[in-house]
Amino acid sequence: GAFCLGWEMPKNVKEKKAREAVITREYTINLHKRTHDLAFKKKANKAVREIKKFATAAMGTPDVRLDVKLNQALWARGIRNIPRRIRVRLARKHSEDQ
């Protein structure tokens, strides 16, 4: 392919593209090691909190929202029997004020 040296995208276009970009990554979160010493009645709640904590650290943003399907997958077998591991797709959306 062809490429140019010494050319740079205009600043306003570069900022707009950076703002529109959505960063998406996939992770497997081991819930077993994060909840193995808990009382049964706290497992699903703790799993939700741990996923939020993981996402905050991985994506570097305090605003974390769980998808309905993820929540249903965690709670599908009740409060006690959460999945040992869960595969999640994290997406970071840049808001206008950032």
Side-chain angles (χ1 to χ4, degrees):
F3 62 95
C4 292
L5 293 174
W7 182 83
E8 198 171 348
M9 201 180 292
K11 221 174 193 149
N12 58 349
V13 176
K14 191 189 290 183
E15 288 173 10
K16 190 176 180 185
K17 278 198 171 183
R19 216 179 298 127
E20 290 171 0
V22 176
I23 304 162
T24 305
R25 298 187 198 131
E26 284 196 11
Y27 293 97
T28 301
I29 302 174
N30 186 346
L31 296 175
H32 184 68
K33 77 174 187 183
R34 292 173 167 84
T35 60
H36 78 279
D37 57 345
L38 277 183
F40 276 152
K41 293 294 183 181
K42 296 180 181 177
K43 281 200 178 222
N45 298 317
K46 177 76 169 182
V48 170
R49 284 199 306 274
E50 287 294 325
I51 289 174
K52 284 186 175 185
K53 192 168 100 176
F54 180 91
T56 301
M59 301 309 258
T61 177
D63 180 24
V64 176
R65 298 171 196 177
L66 295 191
D67 190 58
V68 175
K69 287 181 184 175
L70 175 59
N71 197 45
Q72 286 175 344
L74 284 173
W75 287 87
R77 295 187 290 180
I79 198 166
R80 297 167 26 146
N81 302 311
I82 60 169
R84 287 177 76 99
R85 286 181 188 82
I86 197 153
R87 190 94 173 133
V88 295
R89 181 177 293 125
L90 303 181
R92 186 175 203 277
K93 296 177 181 138
H94 285 280
S95 60
E96 290 300 316
D97 53 317
Q98 283 183 337

